[in-house]
Amino acid sequence: MKIAVLGFGNIGSGVVETLIKNAEAVAAGAGEAVEIKYICDIRDFSSHPLKDKFITDFNIAANDPEIELVAEMIGGLHPAYDFTKTALENGKHVVTSNKEVVAAKGDELMELARDRGVRYLYEASAGGTIPILRTIADALRVSEITEINGILNGTTNYILERMRIEDISMAEALKETQEKGYAEAVPDNDISGADAARKICILAAAAFGSLVDWSIIPCRGIEEITVEDIEEASRNGRSVKLIARAVKLKGGKIHLSVEPMSVISDCPLFSVNGVYNAVLLNVKDCGEMMFYGKGAGSLPTAGAVIADICDIVRHKGCKSDDIIWRRDDSVFVPDLPRDIIDRTELRLGFPV
Ligand code: HSE
């Protein structure tokens, strides 16, 4: 299958590198070779070894009948959303790592993909390398998920660990995450909790079917967290983590939130450190399940994008049974009932 890669930044370059380096394994996993025909980026790559593949005008790829799939890794809502829409309208599959587009427009783009008989997959948009969205959509499709507690932002988790172990300032630790390619282009999205808020809305939509606008959920980031807060938690045998939550309440309502919490040592999220993410699910009749892996970084995230590419190539010609979310802010409730707050304090921890 011939594909176009859209965006040659941190993740896009990781996808290109992996597709070339692991071409044989990808072909074996996908059932046929995956060939990059275009890499679309507005910057100048005229001295890059792959210079012949670079284009600056996405319409060349969008109008090329040979291109069957577009891997969108531009980041940001526009023009990524507009290009995705064009690609789907032109009958091309799209895979993405772009949580801003999935959180804002996922429902609409899924419907468009279904109408055009193509697929829109977004595994890399939440949980980095962890195959959590396909697990929810596939292995847990008939299970009832009642609660999700997650560490969904690698940058803030890395910063909190560096502040704990090295006693360095948040600004110094943030600089390290930028050097390692973990932080967002606008790192305020990490620090403020906005990135984790988008990701918990994506996970909740996958688990509960309703996509809620991330900007309406209660969200506190780590701006106010000090080395003293972290030391105090350590003294009490706890650890400060930025926790994103989605709780299904009686009557089908959903509570969503992001806030720093002092996590107890008995909770599996306690030991999730550095750039790692974890998603702790509560599943009816099954209890807790935890999924763990690197939440940011070029190659781990590229792995999730490539898994989506292989899924599409392997199932080419099959009728898609992908789930379509509905946008529904009316299911959202900002506050948790007292009994759930009490249970949370016992099993997870309390807000810092
Ligand atoms: N800035 C994000 C994070 C990148 O640190 O989790 C992965 O979505």
Side-chain angles (χ1 to χ4, degrees):
M1 183 182 280
K2 288 191 170 52
I3 73 165
V5 166
L6 194 41
F8 196 64
N10 190 31
I11 302 170
S13 59
V15 167
V16 170
E17 179 189 329
T18 309
L19 283 176
I20 292 172
K21 197 175 64 189
N22 299 345
E24 261 182 49
V26 170
E32 67 175 88
V34 174
E35 187 195 325
I36 301 167
K37 182 166 181 183
Y38 302 112
I39 304 169
C40 182
D41 197 297
I42 49 170
R43 292 166 297 175
D44 177 21
F45 288 97
S46 53
S47 43
H48 192 277
L50 298 172
K51 60 179 183 300
D52 294 342
K53 294 190 184 292
F54 278 92
I55 55 171
T56 50
D57 179 4
F58 175 63
N59 287 314
I60 296 172
N63 294 320
D64 182 339
E66 277 196 342
I67 295 295
E68 293 184 71
L69 184 150
V70 171
E72 185 276 297
M73 289 149 302
I74 307 181
L77 190 54
H78 296 290
Y81 160 68
D82 314 86
F83 289 167
T84 301
K85 218 171 140 185
T86 304
L88 293 170
E89 276 165 354
N90 290 4
K92 299 177 192 318
H93 304 285
V94 176
V95 303
T96 187
S97 59
N98 191 327
K99 52 257 168 142
E100 291 186 47
V101 172
V102 179
K105 303 283 184 184
D107 55 324
E108 177 195 317
L109 294 170
M110 286 168 196
E111 212 172 301
L112 177 58
R114 184 196 51 199
D115 293 348
R116 298 299 158 118
V118 290
R119 298 178 72 197
Y120 178 60
L121 297 185
Y122 38 83
E123 182 64 71
S125 67
T129 198
I130 310 170
I132 184 63
L133 291 165
R134 60 166 37 76
T135 301
I136 291 174
D138 189 6
L140 299 176
R141 197 168 180 126
V142 294
S143 304
E144 188 187 342
I145 296 170
T146 54
E147 188 167 330
I148 306 170
N149 289 296
I151 294 174
L152 300 180
N153 183 269
T155 298
T156 44
N157 207 46
Y158 179 95
I159 291 172
L160 291 171
E161 189 195 19
R162 295 290 288 147
M163 289 170 73
R164 178 171 64 85
I165 293 178
E166 298 291 337
D167 198 4
I168 63 174
S169 72
M170 193 176 294
E172 282 173 88
L174 173 61
K175 200 158 160 277
E176 290 180 12
T177 66
Q178 289 172 309
E179 284 158 7
K180 288 174 183 289
Y182 300 156
E184 295 300 296
V186 181
D188 188 46
N189 273 314
D190 297 296
I191 305 295
S192 68
D195 181 73
R198 288 187 176 99
K199 289 167 176 167
I200 194 66
C201 288
I202 292 171
L203 283 170
F208 309 137
S210 300
L211 181 62
V212 172
D213 181 353
W214 69 273
S215 67
I216 65 172
I217 77 172
C219 176
R220 272 195 308 124
I222 62 163
E223 304 95 325
E224 314 273 300
I225 298 295
T226 61
V227 171
E228 288 70 42
D229 292 326
I230 293 171
E231 282 170 356
E232 191 191 327
S234 293
R235 273 196 303 277
N236 294 319
R238 293 168 176 258
S239 183
V240 178
K241 307 285 183 200
L242 185 65
I243 301 291
R245 311 193 70 196
V247 184
K248 195 169 164 188
L249 304 170
K250 286 196 190 84
K253 295 282 182 187
I254 300 167
H255 169 80
L256 297 155
S257 61
V258 174
E259 62 184 345
M261 294 184 81
S262 184
V263 173
I264 61 171
S265 60
D266 281 348
C267 175
L269 295 172
F270 175 87
S271 314
V272 176
N273 291 315
V275 73
Y276 281 87
N277 278 191
V279 181
L280 180 62
L281 302 181
N282 282 50
V283 183
K284 192 172 170 208
D285 299 333
C286 302
E288 288 184 334
M289 293 182 197
M290 187 153 100
F291 301 83
Y292 171 83
K294 283 194 174 159
S298 175
L299 295 181
T301 312
V305 174
I306 290 169
D308 278 349
I309 295 174
C310 290
D311 185 341
I312 288 175
V313 180
R314 210 170 55 241
H315 295 106
K316 200 165 83 169
C318 304
K319 194 173 162 0
S320 152
D321 63 355
D322 294 339
I323 285 169
I324 294 182
W325 305 339
R326 32 169 215 285
R327 165 144 323 257
D328 188 0
D329 292 345
S330 73
V331 294
F332 167 70
V333 287
D335 299 310
L336 280 172
R338 187 71 243 174
D339 61 319
I340 295 185
I341 295 173
D342 292 344
R343 196 182 73 199
T344 301
E345 285 187 2
L346 282 176
R347 292 195 6 243
L348 207 154
F350 52 78
V352 181

